[in-house]
Amino acid sequence: MFQGFQAAVVRSLMSSMVGQDEQGRLFGLIAAMDSIAVLVASLIFNQLYPVTLDFFPGFSFMVAAGLSVVAAGIMMWLHVDLRGLILGDSSITKGVTGDSGDISKEDIQVETATTHM
């Protein structure tokens, strides 16, 4: 059910890390890796299911769910880590003075972070 979420998160995070001229290569690489992952997963799970059918018929589905949880955890860790780096970056607010109307340094940091995340 949640199979496509990890790929969407990876694409959104990585597209903000590269320039516009590199995004085609990036998405091509992600698509190739996704195709390879589907092939490898079908090889592994087609062998795993008949072996585990005797003692736990749903074991291969539990393994798939566990791998999805691990991938989702890694994506959450990357999101929090990258967000902390962006919010903690003082170069974003260079040249902004404290008396610039109603826009504060924190507002600029949050706006910049949310447009890049």
Side-chain angles (χ1 to χ4, degrees), residues 82-95:
L82 291 174
R83 186 178 173 115
L85 285 174
I86 289 174
L87 289 176
D89 189 8
S90 62
S91 66
I92 295 173
T93 59
K94 263 188 195 169

Side-chain angles (χ1 to χ4, degrees), residues 9 12-17 75-87 109-117:
V9 171
S12 69
L13 284 174
M14 294 180 89
S15 68
S16 67
M17 293 180 187
M75 292 301 122
M76 288 298 295
W77 174 71
L78 283 173
H79 175 73
V80 169
D81 192 43
L82 291 174
R83 186 178 173 115
L85 285 174
I86 289 174
L87 289 176
Q109 284 180 333
V110 169
E111 181 180 343
T112 304
T114 55
T115 57
H116 287 70
M117 297 293 291

